[in-house]
Amino acid sequence: ASPPRPTPASRRVASPAAMSAAAAARTPVIVLPGSGCTPTRECNFYAWFSDALDATRYDARMTNMPDPHVCRERAWLPFIVDPSGPLRAGPGCVVVGHSSGAVAAMRLAERTKLKGIILVASYDSDLGDANERASGYFDRAFDYDAMRRNCDFVAAVGGARDALVDIDIQRRVARECLGLSAGTAGAEWLELEARDHFFTPPFRELVELLDRSCDAADAAAAAGAGTTTDEG
């Protein structure tokens, strides 16, 4: 009998173990939408952003949120970290929050270890809005020190023409509260002069900000590991 013919490389299928290892090496990127954004993928830039990510590096996670109109903290945060849920936020994850989702990301980072957070159109008060007030996020001060301790990086992006969240509020949260600055990868504030509340794609700047932030965090981690090895 003839020996079995080798399978061409183009037809080989990776083993389950190899596929599992590749999936584990990707960084989960969780998208938290703004209030009223349901179904999530049909709103704003979310589907475009998720689809634009490098699938070999990132694992995009997005789902329809509970209580999508008021976005109550007591409903959202347990759902976001639920280990059996669709988002499963925790160590190694990046959380990208937009508008109300940015506020949720800040509260999450106060109590949860993450790889990082990116805040899109963020704010830290109810803006005089009853719906925002009912969310429960603004009944106590934000702990910005805890956010920084729990994240390998923190970044924020705002549109100078935002008519919903004044750019001065976004600048204050980013610069004064979180200590971010323009051009500082790993602690970056990115202000886009021609953008508003980021209702429409594309949003290439966000993809690039994610890449820069993750690169900075990975480099810092590698440097720290090298220092520990040298000292050992």
Side-chain angles (χ1 to χ4, degrees):
S2 301
R5 300 176 65 181
T7 302
S10 60
R11 294 173 55 192
R12 289 175 191 153
V13 178
S15 69
M19 290 188 290
S20 177
R26 295 186 295 163
T27 297
V29 178
I30 297 166
V31 176
L32 299 182
S35 62
C37 295
T38 186
T40 302
R41 279 192 63 88
E42 296 179 11
C43 300
N44 300 323
F45 61 86
Y46 310 142
W48 182 93
F49 173 70
S50 177
D51 294 343
L53 296 183
D54 180 352
T56 65
R57 181 176 187 183
Y58 301 113
D59 170 22
R61 299 179 185 175
M62 182 191 317
T63 192
N64 295 333
M65 300 298 291
D67 190 20
H69 298 286
V70 180
C71 313
R72 290 176 180 86
E73 180 180 6
R74 66 175 182 264
W76 274 41
L77 264 58
F79 180 79
I80 294 166
V81 300
D82 182 353
S84 62
L87 300 179
R88 307 182 301 283
C93 294
V94 175
V95 176
V96 177
H98 174 229
S99 196
S100 296
V103 181
M106 290 194 291
R107 287 300 186 195
L108 178 69
E110 288 178 335
R111 64 181 76 173
T112 307
K113 291 287 188 181
L114 301 165
K115 185 182 184 76
I117 55 174
I118 299 181
L119 310 175
V120 182
S122 60
Y123 51 100
D124 60 353
S125 75
D126 62 27
L127 305 174
D129 183 88
N131 194 72
E132 293 284 351
R133 193 156 48 250
S135 70
Y137 291 119
F138 308 105
D139 58 6
R140 64 203 185 278
F142 285 87
D143 189 343
Y144 294 102
D145 289 337
M147 295 177 208
R148 289 190 292 265
R149 284 194 306 269
N150 284 330
C151 295
D152 297 337
F153 74 82
V154 177
V157 55
R161 299 183 181 182
D162 196 322
L164 293 184
V165 181
D166 191 277
I167 190 61
D168 287 336
I169 295 174
Q170 300 182 56
R171 288 172 183 152
R172 178 180 53 76
V173 170
R175 295 173 178 173
E176 299 176 23
C177 299
L178 286 167
L180 310 183
S181 58
T184 305
E188 184 172 352
W189 161 242
L190 177 63
E191 185 170 325
L192 302 175
E193 293 295 329
R195 299 301 297 268
D196 53 12
H197 199 63
F198 304 101
F199 291 118
T200 57
F203 198 172
R204 176 57 57 184
E205 299 93 340
L206 180 58
V207 176
E208 294 168 352
L209 178 59
L210 172 66
D211 287 343
R212 286 196 301 275
S213 299
C214 286
D215 287 346
D218 292 345
T227 301
T228 301
T229 301
D230 292 342
E231 291 178 349

